[in-house]
Amino acid sequence: MEMAFVLDLSAAKGLLEQFASVRSKTEQLAEGLSDADASVQSMPDASPTKWHLAHTTWFFETFVLRTGVAGYVPFDHRYHYLFNSYYEAEGPRLARHLRGLLTRPSLAEIMQYRSHVTQAIKVHFACLPPSLLELIELGCHHEQQHQELLQTDILHLFGSNPLLPAWHPGDMSASGNSSEPHELRWVTGRCGPVEIGHDGPGFAFDCETPRHTTWLSPHALSSRLVTNAQWRAFVDAGGYRDPDLWLSDGWAWVKQDHIEAPLYWQRAADGHWGSQFGPRGTVGLAEHAPVRHVSYYEADAFARWAGARLPTEAEWEAAAALLDPLKGPFLESVAPGIPEDDTSDAPLRQMYGELWQWTASAYLPYPGFRPAAGAVGEYNGKFMSGQFVLRGGSCATPRGHVRPSYRNFFYPHQRWQFTGVRLARNL
């Protein structure tokens, strides 16, 4: 982990405020959900809302309170087993696909657990050593990751319900980004030796380091994300029926799971794809909105159909590093999971917020990468196998949580996150 942490009064106060804000925001995201809503697991990749609320609390209790506070008594000793995620150093745990069986503890009991741990952190904060303050900072960013997962997991749960309930009801005709898209242009990227990765002040996850030099060949990036209209043309042209466009594993996935369109697209009475499920429920498919909820396999096939390719993560970062990372529709901008129009006047639009953008880069360690010592070293490094990097954040990502160097990663078939597509091509 790279955490240039300054232990003065101002920094400590700022960290405590960050902790309180993050904890409060997670609970706000769960407001309005019933105990049943918060308990059900819609698929093995998703987790119930109760589990997200409890696991993020388990992190602080396990790595801060149990480690650094003498005499601390855990809220419930059974929770150490129930809410461990993947930390082998912390012992056995409930299997991930069984999290939906936890009808008990109740949502109310989980909220009591959160309150207990939050208050304990606040009470003992001033006496914690620098190493544990660093873990609090890591825990805040870890919880922000779960804020995003919590949103997408609720969306998948409601999208699996035949009633298709709206999570954030509002103007049911609105679907975000319905205005005319900006003309797609090709923006020449940097070439030659460039540096990528984190190296400097501020927080970063260990997988973003070390900063290093890589080589970029002449290329260009599309000025905006691929739209629903472009994707519908791909569907109508038989893109999901042409094996020549697909990677072998991707074609097997298409056939096995009967994939015909992006996740949450819905057919109209005439058989055409005319609507899409989202946080507001079912809305008309906005032609000019960026296509979302597509897998790496789909993104790669579309790019091939379009005569282009996906950008590498180095190409994306080299371009994004020149932009203001705070410009973009993040979680705080609109209702969770609902994009807003990008008003940026930069040549490359929709780089931050909006949708996570698939890259062609496998999630692998950078040259010289070393995971952190101890259990938190299991945080990122052990997942560097079989996954692909996404960049930029989404409309469900907390503002300030992403940076040019931030590396998200998912398996190539996964698409329940807010994922989209930016094209690249060789020059």
Side-chain angles (χ1 to χ4, degrees):
M1 294 172 291
E2 290 290 329
M3 307 180 198
F5 199 84
V6 180
L7 293 174
D8 58 22
L9 182 61
S10 176
K13 180 180 178 181
L15 177 59
L16 188 57
E17 291 174 349
Q18 179 188 14
F19 170 78
S21 175
V22 167
R23 298 290 285 169
S24 175
K25 183 62 178 179
T26 306
E27 291 158 16
Q28 290 174 20
L29 292 173
E31 288 179 356
L33 297 179
S34 68
D35 195 290
D37 291 333
S39 299
V40 177
Q41 182 176 23
S42 57
M43 63 171 175
D45 286 339
S47 296
T49 295
K50 282 198 312 192
W51 191 90
H52 287 296
L53 292 166
H55 168 69
T56 50
T57 304
W58 174 97
F59 186 97
F60 288 110
E61 183 175 63
T62 298
F63 296 124
V64 179
L65 295 175
R66 289 179 59 197
T67 300
V69 177
Y72 173 77
V73 178
F75 182 82
D76 188 320
H77 290 280
R78 299 171 297 177
Y79 288 10
H80 193 70
Y81 170 82
L82 293 181
F83 301 120
N84 183 3
S85 55
Y86 50 72
Y87 294 94
E88 298 288 348
E90 290 301 321
R93 60 198 177 278
L94 181 71
R96 178 170 183 164
H97 69 283
L98 299 178
R99 293 171 183 170
L101 298 179
L102 297 178
T103 57
R104 305 289 179 92
S106 68
L107 178 58
E109 289 172 313
I110 294 300
M111 298 307 290
Q112 292 172 6
Y113 176 40
R114 287 185 62 86
S115 177
H116 173 86
V117 170
T118 297
Q119 292 306 312
I121 291 285
K122 291 180 178 179
V123 167
H124 297 287
F125 184 86
C127 300
L128 296 176
S131 61
L132 293 185
L133 294 179
E134 290 181 350
L135 285 175
I136 289 178
E137 185 175 26
L138 174 62
C140 288
H141 287 270
H142 165 258
E143 183 152 342
Q144 287 181 313
Q145 290 178 316
H146 278 272
Q147 288 173 357
E148 185 160 1
L149 290 167
L150 184 155
Q151 296 170 73
T152 52
D153 291 356
I154 293 173
L155 185 64
H156 189 270
L157 174 64
F158 284 10
S160 302
N161 186 323
L163 297 178
L164 296 175
W167 174 28
H168 287 279
D171 178 3
M172 301 304 289
S173 65
S175 53
N177 285 285
S178 58
S179 60
E180 289 290 330
H182 292 266
E183 178 185 2
L184 190 149
R185 304 185 309 278
W186 292 99
V187 180
T188 302
R190 298 164 62 186
C191 63
V194 299
E195 289 191 346
I196 65 169
H198 179 83
D199 181 20
F203 176 88
F205 290 111
D206 56 1
C207 65
E208 300 173 53
T209 65
R211 189 167 179 83
H212 61 284
T213 301
T214 189
W215 182 272
L216 297 183
S217 298
H219 68 280
L221 301 179
S222 61
S223 57
R224 58 167 171 79
L225 301 179
V226 172
T227 65
N228 284 326
Q230 290 176 284
W231 204 275
R232 182 143 53 186
F234 170 67
V235 174
D236 292 344
Y240 283 89
R241 301 189 300 274
D242 185 353
D244 291 341
L245 297 174
W246 295 80
L247 296 169
S248 177
D249 287 347
W251 183 242
W253 170 75
V254 166
K255 292 190 296 180
Q256 175 181 315
D257 292 355
H258 308 289
I259 305 298
E260 299 180 288
L263 184 63
Y264 304 134
W265 276 28
Q266 299 174 352
R267 291 187 186 275
D270 60 4
H272 290 86
W273 300 99
S275 59
Q276 181 176 32
F277 177 75
R280 290 177 174 141
T282 300
V283 298
L285 190 64
E287 293 284 318
H288 306 311
V291 67
R292 66 194 196 203
H293 301 297
V294 293
S295 68
Y296 173 85
Y297 290 141
E298 292 168 284
D300 178 78
F302 178 91
R304 191 171 290 110
W305 174 79
R309 61 173 175 82
L310 299 179
T312 67
E313 64 170 323
E315 290 169 344
W316 191 97
E317 183 175 330
L322 303 177
L323 304 176
D324 183 350
L326 297 180
K327 290 184 178 179
F330 293 101
L331 170 60
E332 295 81 359
S333 303
V334 288
I338 302 175
E340 65 179 16
D341 290 335
D342 179 2
T343 58
S344 169
D345 57 0
L348 290 171
R349 304 175 65 86
Q350 301 171 315
M351 289 291 281
Y352 290 100
E354 198 77 62
L355 297 170
W356 286 104
Q357 298 162 46
W358 286 107
T359 75
S361 298
Y363 178 55
L364 294 171
Y366 285 158
F369 168 77
R370 296 178 62 184
V376 293
E378 299 184 54
Y379 197 94
N380 287 308
K382 72 188 218 176
F383 298 109
M384 292 175 172
S385 173
Q387 306 197 64
F388 284 84
V389 174
L390 302 96
R391 294 299 193 110
S394 80
C395 51
T397 305
R399 183 178 297 278
H401 182 61
V402 292
R403 319 161 269 287
S405 61
Y406 192 106
R407 309 172 78 197
N408 202 354
F409 50 93
F410 286 104
Y411 289 102
H413 69 280
Q414 293 176 319
R415 58 183 190 159
W416 90 108
Q417 294 298 310
F418 284 97
T419 53
V421 182
R422 182 180 302 276
L423 298 176
R425 67 183 184 184
N426 300 326
L427 296 179

